[in-house]
Amino acid sequence: MKYTVDGSLCTGHGRCYTLAPDVYLPDDEGYNLRRDDTVEIAPGQEAGARRGARGCPERAIGLDG
């Protein structure tokens, strides 16, 4: 499974990394650190990735897989 954060939609609410800190990381300004990258999710962390994506009010996180 992979995720992508649309940098044009991410506004830095931080819900993704609050809900799933093992999957999503913040940058120094509170945005998702990996905006506009495709990131491989470690085995066993799929549920956290889904939880973080569902918590994003802008729906900026896309999951693949």
Side-chain angles (χ1 to χ4, degrees):
M1 177 181 259
K2 299 176 184 179
Y3 77 83
T4 304
V5 177
D6 184 332
S8 68
L9 296 176
C10 179
T11 59
H13 282 104
R15 292 182 184 165
C16 59
Y17 54 79
T18 299
L19 293 169
D22 293 340
V23 178
Y24 305 104
L25 300 172
D27 68 8
D28 291 338
E29 296 176 359
Y31 294 89
N32 188 293
L33 180 65
R34 303 295 301 268
R35 290 185 313 276
D36 297 320
D37 288 340
T38 299
V39 181
E40 188 75 36
I41 297 166
Q45 295 186 343
E46 295 89 349
R50 288 184 190 97
R51 187 171 49 252
R54 282 192 309 267
C56 179
E58 287 79 21
R59 302 293 182 237
I61 301 172
L63 299 175
D64 180 27

